[in-house]
């Protein structure tokens, strides 16, 4: 952190029910904010649409991982049992995708899972151990039973933030310093 | 939120008038589902009840339980040290039963793990919301069961460094440049079990992230704040994050489902791909998977019934949850019973004298007692769950859950030992008896399992806090309890 005086990170508004936060999200979306987010203790069904969040891209990471896993398995077994040291065991073929399938299948799942998790972390910019929101005492209840909207100061329409949040029925509005 | 317990959510979601002309009446009382969290608890109550467990000092019983489990675990490691330093001869297995308690215990423990994945992944895909109260501890159980399972195949090679040397388990060439050969199901098993352990850990950790954030935000001491904060990875509950998180969770569930089915199928290939009468049967993969789920649900109940009482979680793990699990036991127990019958039918219908002998020997040979123990525990006892009293009386369910696990241990013993002890050549027949080292190693593995489980409930939320909140009416923006107005 720099030594210069704190600057505003954003405006944090607290709501007390799932319906209220849903309503607030729709208001913020329609007001045209870009850099803002909703914070809830659990995922709320329909919130992505209310916020206008696009479909998650995690699936592509899974695909990349799974694809790599499958062909790693096939390639590894072909290399070991057919190419590098061919050894006939029980008169069976040196390589067929059939006996290589179970291991390749497991590696598809293994690497697909790693891909999924890595994709989720990358897309979410996690781990992120510093966040200005953590300095706000009220925000601790975002993982308990309260619902928050934060509109960042970097948003071009930030000047209208307080008005929108008040109109949305926020119970408390606080400024968060960076 | 402190309404009386008898106040049902009778004015639930769909009772609000939809249009001026159309009025939707609430469902009749008898059709209403019992809520997943009883007594209309608030979101804050759920956080306090679950996170509170690992924040307050442990209750009095925890320390004796932990010390005993830890002692039993130490006993297991001493037995393993004795076995490794002396040789595999300290176990009772020998020709012709070269596999006995070791592989029995391996299959027993890995099977127990399967219920955790079934609850966390398969029930998630099937949108069974009741899974939220039990999935966290069931997944933990999976991990600990896999840890116990892993011990036996690793140490049954005797000179354990051989298991870890290149050319045996890990895919690297041995001293002669020869690679492991992938035509063997034993090597498939290595990949299946290690993938299973790893993916279960990833899935479990993913589910834990939001709850670790809850614990971080409630932490009062610096140490707790540091460690929970570190593992929560900076989770804020941002909806942009939830969006990716939920997708990742769904995909992990989708990957774990074929995984869990493949793991026990591949474990069954260890037997089915061989030419031993009694093992060489095509029914093994589905029969093993059903048995695994059967035993796993037994173990989930063995752990959760005391837990819900001791930690006063009856409102979260309700009688309905227990009843539903009993029904899964009933269903999978019936599949297992069917498989036992079908094995006998095929042994007769298939016309192989060796196969038929193996099965006659199973039921009426020298190991008849283990066969009939298995039948009593696995085929007869689950059918008590047809009766509501049996499903909803906690001590009784707990008793049956233990019977189920005893039965499933005997199933693996019966499959392995009765098939091996009398093979094609009567001159090499024998009778396997476990040695004291066998017995104490197996008993000790329960110590490891319980030690890990007790540490889990000490330090981590034993119930998925955010997921339980997500299935309450308070989480539904269209429900009056979620703040919905009558018209919007």
């Amino acid at each position: 952190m720099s030594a210069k005086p704190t600057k505003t990170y954003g405006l944090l508004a607290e709501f007390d029910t799932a319906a209220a936060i849903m309503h607030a999200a729709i208001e913020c979306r329609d007001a045209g904010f870009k850099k803002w987010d909703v914070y809830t203790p659990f995922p709320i069904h329909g919130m992505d649409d209310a916020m206008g969040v696009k479909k998650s891209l995690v699936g592509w990471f899974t695909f990349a991982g799974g694809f790599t896993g499958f062909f790693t398995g096939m390639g590894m077994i072909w290399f070991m049992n057919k190419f590098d040291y061919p050894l006939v065991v029980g008169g069976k073929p040196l390589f067929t995708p059939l006996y290589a399938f179970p291991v390749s299948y497991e590696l598809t799942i293994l690497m697909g899972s790693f891909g999924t998790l890595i994709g989720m972390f990358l897309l979410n910019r996690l781990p992120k151990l510093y966040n200005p929101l953590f300095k706000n005492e009220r925000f601790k209840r975002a993982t308990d039973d309260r619902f928050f909207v934060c509109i960042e100061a970097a948003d071009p329409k930030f000047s209208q933030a307080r008005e929108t949040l008040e109109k949305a029925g926020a119970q408390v509005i606080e400024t968060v310093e960076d | 939120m402190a309404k009386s317990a008898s106040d049902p959510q009778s004015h639930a979601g769909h009772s609000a008038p939809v249009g001026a002309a159309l009025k939707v009446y609430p469902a009749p009382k008898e059709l209403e589902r019992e809520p997943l969290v009883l007594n209309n608890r608030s979101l804050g109550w759920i956080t306090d009840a679950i996170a509170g467990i690992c924040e307050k000092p442990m209750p009095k019983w925890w320390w004796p339980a932990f010390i005993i489990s830890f002692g039993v675990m130490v006993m297991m490691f001493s037995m393993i040290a004795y076995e490794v330093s002396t040789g595999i001869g300290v176990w009772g297995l020998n020709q012709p039963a070269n596999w006995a308690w070791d592989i029995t215990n391996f299959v027993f423990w890995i099977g127990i793990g399967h219920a955790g994945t079934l609850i966390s992944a398969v029930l998630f895909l099937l949108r069974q919301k009741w899974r939220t109260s039990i999935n966290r501890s069931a997944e933990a159980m999976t991990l600990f069961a896999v840890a116990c399972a892993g011990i036996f195949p690793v140490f049954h090679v005797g000179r354990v460094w051989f298991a870890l040397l290149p050319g045996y388990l890990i895919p690297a060439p041995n001293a002669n440049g020869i690679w492991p050969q992938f035509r063997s199901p034993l090597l498939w098993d290595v990949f299946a079990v290690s993938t299973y352990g790893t993916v279960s850990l990833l899935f479990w950790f993913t589910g834990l992230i939001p709850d670790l954030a809850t614990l971080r935000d409630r932490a009062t001491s610096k140490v707790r704040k540091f460690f929970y904060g570190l593992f929560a990875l900076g989770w804020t509950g941002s909806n942009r994050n939830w969006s990716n998180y939920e997708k990742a969770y769904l995909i992990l569930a989708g990957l774990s489902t074929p995984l869990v089915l493949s793991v026990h199928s591949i474990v069954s290939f260890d037997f089915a791909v061989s030419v031993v009468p009694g093992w060489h049967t095509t029914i093994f993969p589905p029969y093993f998977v059903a048995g695994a789920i059967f035993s796993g649900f037994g173990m989930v109940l063995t752990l959760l019934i005391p837990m819900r009482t001791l930690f006063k979680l009856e409102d979260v793990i309700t009688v309905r949850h227990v009843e539903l699990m009993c029904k899964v036991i009933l269903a999978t127990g019936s599949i297992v019973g069917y498989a036992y019958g079908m094995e006998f039918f095929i042994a007769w219908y298939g016309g192989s004298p060796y196969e038929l002998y193996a099965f006659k020997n199973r039921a009426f040979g020298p190991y008849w007692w283990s066969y009939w123990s298995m039948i009593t525990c696995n085929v007869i006892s689950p059918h008590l769950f047809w009766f509501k009293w049996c499903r909803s009386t906690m001590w009784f369910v707990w008793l049956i859950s233990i019977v189920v696990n005893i039965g499933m241990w005997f199933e693996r013993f019966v499959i392995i030992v009765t098939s091996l002890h009398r093979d094609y050549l009567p001159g090499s027949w024998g009778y396997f008896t476990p040695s004291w080292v066998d017995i104490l190693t197996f008993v000790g593995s329960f110590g490891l399992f319980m030690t890990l489980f007790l540490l889990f409930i000490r330090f981590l939320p034993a119930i998925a806090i955010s997921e339980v909140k997500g299935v309450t009416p308070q989480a539904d923006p269209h429900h009056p309890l979620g703040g919905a107005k009558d018209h919007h």
Side-chain angles (χ1 to χ4, degrees):
Chain A
M1 277 169 68
S2 56
K4 65 179 179 182
T6 56
K7 68 178 203 309
T8 308
Y9 171 75
L11 214 53
L12 184 71
E14 182 179 321
F15 298 84
D16 65 348
T17 62
I21 191 76
M22 196 78 148
H23 173 69
I26 293 169
E27 294 274 315
C28 290
R29 179 196 65 193
D30 292 348
F33 291 108
K34 292 279 172 274
K35 293 183 95 66
W36 64 290
D37 210 337
V38 166
Y39 300 88
T40 54
F42 47 83
I44 294 178
H45 190 66
M47 185 58 91
D48 287 0
D49 287 339
M51 279 181 71
V53 174
K54 288 201 192 72
K55 221 175 121 186
S56 169
L57 298 173
V58 169
W60 291 103
F61 290 87
T62 313
F63 178 75
F67 189 86
T68 314
F70 185 78
F71 289 100
T72 303
M74 285 288 172
M76 173 182 79
I77 294 169
W78 173 84
F79 174 80
M80 291 177 183
N81 285 177
K82 166 114 183 177
F83 182 78
D84 191 55
Y85 199 132
L87 191 66
V88 178
V89 178
K92 293 170 193 163
L94 288 171
F95 179 80
T96 105
L98 287 182
Y99 82 70
F101 185 78
V103 168
S104 308
Y105 177 93
E106 299 301 330
L107 289 176
T108 307
I109 291 176
L110 182 69
M111 298 209 180
S113 304
F114 273 108
T116 310
L117 210 59
I118 291 169
M120 191 269 276
F121 285 144
L122 284 177
L123 293 170
N124 283 346
R125 308 282 186 277
L126 294 175
K128 183 182 176 187
L129 297 182
Y130 171 76
N131 192 325
L133 289 168
F134 290 151
K135 289 194 268 186
N136 185 294
E137 271 306 306
R138 289 186 170 276
F139 190 71
K140 285 193 177 358
R141 288 182 75 177
T143 55
D144 181 9
D145 60 350
R146 285 302 148 110
F147 308 86
F148 295 85
V149 171
C150 181
I151 300 176
E152 289 176 34
D155 192 288
K157 288 187 160 179
F158 185 63
S159 53
Q160 299 163 28
R162 185 173 289 271
E163 190 195 337
T164 313
L165 292 172
E166 272 167 5
K167 209 175 86 194
Q171 294 187 310
V172 185
I173 300 179
E174 283 181 357
T175 312
V176 180
E177 307 295 338
D178 198 354
Chain B
M1 282 299 110
K3 286 179 185 170
S4 74
S6 60
D7 178 21
Q9 289 144 14
S10 51
H11 48 287
H14 303 289
S15 63
V18 172
L22 180 67
K23 184 158 167 54
V24 180
Y25 291 95
K29 208 155 172 28
E30 64 272 20
L31 287 184
E32 247 176 46
R33 285 210 172 161
E34 220 179 294
L36 291 165
V37 177
L38 295 181
N39 295 339
N40 206 359
R41 300 294 192 179
S42 68
L43 300 174
W45 183 91
I46 295 172
T47 319
D48 290 339
I50 301 168
I53 294 173
C54 41
E55 287 167 345
K56 282 180 285 201
M58 279 286 114
K60 279 196 199 81
W61 58 265
W62 190 87
W63 275 104
F66 180 74
I67 290 166
I68 293 169
S69 307
F70 192 81
V72 175
M73 178 182 81
V74 169
M75 176 183 79
M76 179 192 71
F77 284 116
S78 331
M79 287 302 119
I80 288 173
Y82 176 56
E83 185 252 324
V84 171
S85 57
T86 313
I88 198 70
V90 300
W91 286 358
L93 39 67
N94 207 334
Q95 291 284 13
N98 281 310
W99 275 359
W101 275 40
D102 49 352
I103 303 301
T104 302
N105 299 340
F106 162 66
V107 182
F108 170 78
W109 278 117
I110 201 90
I112 281 176
H114 280 45
T117 322
L118 188 96
I119 290 168
S120 57
V122 181
L123 297 187
F124 180 78
L125 295 182
L126 297 175
R127 297 280 182 264
Q128 295 295 306
K129 288 182 173 175
W130 58 276
R131 75 183 259 293
T132 54
S133 302
I134 53 172
N135 71 331
R136 171 70 44 74
S137 39
E139 284 167 40
M141 177 198 80
T142 296
L143 288 174
F144 307 150
V146 173
C148 292
I151 285 175
F152 294 97
V154 166
F155 286 98
H156 95 301
V157 298
R159 289 179 285 178
V160 66
W161 48 95
F162 272 80
L164 307 170
L165 276 178
Y168 288 80
L169 297 185
I170 55 169
N174 71 4
N176 295 327
I178 303 173
W179 298 89
Q181 67 103 357
F182 283 89
R183 301 164 193 88
S184 164
L186 297 178
L187 197 55
W188 306 349
D189 213 10
V190 173
F191 279 82
V193 172
S194 48
T195 298
Y196 184 50
T198 314
V199 173
S200 301
L201 183 67
L202 294 182
F203 198 23
W204 187 61
F205 177 65
T206 307
L208 268 169
I209 294 171
D211 290 359
L212 289 169
T214 302
L215 287 170
R216 170 200 67 204
D217 291 346
R218 290 166 57 93
T220 44
S221 80
K222 267 213 151 62
V223 181
R224 294 179 70 90
K225 202 169 251 165
F226 176 77
F227 280 104
Y228 288 126
L230 188 66
F231 287 105
L233 307 174
W235 182 261
T236 51
S238 135
N239 189 64
R240 291 175 200 276
N241 285 3
W242 276 123
S243 174
N244 291 320
Y245 175 92
E246 283 202 284
K247 178 66 110 189
Y249 200 85
L250 175 70
I251 292 173
L252 284 177
L255 288 170
S256 300
T257 301
L259 174 64
V260 71
L261 299 179
S262 79
V263 171
H264 231 58
S265 298
I266 289 178
V267 168
S268 82
F269 291 162
D270 291 348
F271 306 100
V273 172
S274 75
V275 290
V276 176
W279 287 4
H280 187 66
T281 49
T282 49
I283 202 175
F284 262 25
Y287 152 42
F288 267 52
V289 171
I293 294 163
F294 177 62
S295 69
F297 269 86
M299 187 57 96
V300 171
L301 285 168
T302 310
L303 294 171
L304 290 194
I305 288 175
M307 192 176 99
R308 74 189 276 278
T309 313
L310 290 167
F311 289 113
K312 301 189 175 50
L313 290 170
E314 287 97 337
D315 283 349
V316 186
I317 304 173
T318 66
V319 175
R320 180 178 160 208
H321 286 98
V322 175
E323 274 200 58
L324 287 166
M325 284 190 268
C326 290
K327 288 177 188 171
V328 176
I329 287 190
L330 175 58
T332 47
S334 305
I335 299 173
V336 167
Y338 168 81
Y340 294 160
M342 191 45 79
E343 273 190 322
F344 262 80
F345 172 73
I346 293 294
W348 166 74
Y349 188 70
S352 161
Y354 299 105
E355 186 79 7
L356 187 60
Y357 177 76
F359 278 89
K360 279 186 186 160
N361 183 49
R362 218 172 244 193
F364 306 109
Y367 286 108
W368 63 271
W369 49 271
S370 65
Y371 184 82
W372 295 104
S373 307
M374 169 188 97
I375 293 288
T376 316
C377 297
N378 288 354
V379 182
I380 300 169
S381 78
H383 287 280
L384 292 167
F385 287 149
W386 287 106
F387 304 101
K388 193 170 173 76
W389 182 87
C390 298
R391 293 196 306 267
S392 51
T393 309
M394 290 304 124
W395 64 267
F396 188 82
V397 175
W398 193 74
L399 215 64
I400 296 293
S401 76
I402 289 179
V403 169
V404 161
N405 269 309
I406 295 173
M408 282 310 291
W409 187 87
F410 270 112
E411 179 197 295
R412 281 65 176 252
F413 178 80
V414 164
I415 291 172
I416 292 168
V417 173
T418 66
S419 305
L420 285 177
H421 87 118
R422 286 184 173 178
D423 61 5
Y424 300 101
L425 197 63
S428 66
W429 287 3
Y431 189 84
F432 162 82
T433 328
S435 74
W436 61 276
V437 184
D438 271 317
I439 296 168
L440 293 185
T441 311
F442 176 55
V443 172
S445 65
F446 282 91
L448 172 65
F449 182 72
M450 284 314 298
T451 304
L452 291 170
F453 197 80
L454 287 166
L455 286 173
F456 158 70
I457 48 181
R458 171 70 188 83
F459 291 109
L460 292 171
I463 294 175
I465 304 173
S466 69
E467 290 190 46
V468 170
K469 285 176 190 165
V471 298
T472 57
Q474 283 85 350
D476 179 1
H478 304 294
H479 193 282
L481 288 170
K485 310 280 187 298
D486 275 351
H487 48 84
H488 53 138

